[in-house]
């Protein structure tokens, strides 16, 4: 397993791709439990046009954890969902539905499952 320093170096290296940035973002989120650093890494990842929707979805769900950012994360998730429904797994739809309930989105406007 790589250390955070090794992942940072790989993500910043010339010719680094979205996978390097994704590895760093997931390290921050899942190993270091550093949400601010993970958020910054996902911001960088979102700038790569080759990055799959999967990572953008994961980033939006991360932002939704912060009550101050939940509404904007919901908008991002809704746009991602409407653009590529297949990028959402069943567990994502359940989390999306919970977010809709938390934000008191009117029933007629909800798209989450669960």
């Amino acid at each position: 397993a790589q250390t955070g320093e090794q992942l940072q170096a790989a993500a910043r290296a010339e010719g680094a791709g979205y996978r390097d940035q994704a590895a760093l973002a997931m390290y921050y989120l899942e190993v270091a439990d550093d949400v601010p650093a993970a958020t910054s890494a996902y911001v960088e990842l979102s700038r790569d046009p080759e990055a799959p929707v999967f990572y953008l979805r994961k980033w939006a769900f991360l932002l939704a954890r912060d009550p101050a950012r939940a509404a904007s994360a919901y908008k991002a998730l809704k746009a991602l969902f409407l653009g590529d429904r297949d990028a959402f797994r069943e567990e994502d739809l359940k989390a999306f539905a919970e977010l809709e309930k938390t934000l008191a989105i009117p029933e007629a406007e909800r798209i989450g499952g669960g």
Side-chain angles (χ1 to χ4, degrees):
Q2 292 183 306
T3 67
E5 292 81 23
Q6 290 170 320
L7 291 168
Q8 282 179 344
R12 293 189 177 108
E14 188 172 329
Y18 75 84
R19 288 183 178 101
D20 298 301
Q21 194 64 39
L24 179 61
M26 290 190 290
Y27 170 83
Y28 284 141
L29 184 60
E30 297 170 4
V31 177
D33 195 29
D34 186 341
V35 174
T39 299
S40 294
Y42 277 110
V43 168
E44 288 301 314
L45 179 59
S46 72
R47 293 181 179 145
D48 189 327
E50 295 181 18
V53 172
F54 163 82
Y55 296 113
L56 302 177
R57 183 191 73 231
K58 189 167 182 128
W59 176 41
F61 276 119
L62 171 64
L63 292 178
R65 292 183 188 177
D66 178 357
R69 294 181 169 175
S72 60
Y74 171 75
K75 289 177 186 174
L77 284 164
K78 187 172 183 178
L80 288 171
F81 178 81
L82 294 174
D84 185 2
R85 294 170 191 254
D86 294 336
F88 284 71
R89 303 165 297 176
E90 186 175 334
E91 65 192 62
D92 298 325
L93 293 176
K94 289 178 182 175
F96 195 71
E98 286 301 313
L99 180 58
E100 289 177 322
K101 289 176 191 168
T102 300
L103 293 173
I105 303 298
E107 286 283 334
E109 297 175 25
R110 292 183 185 185
I111 57 176

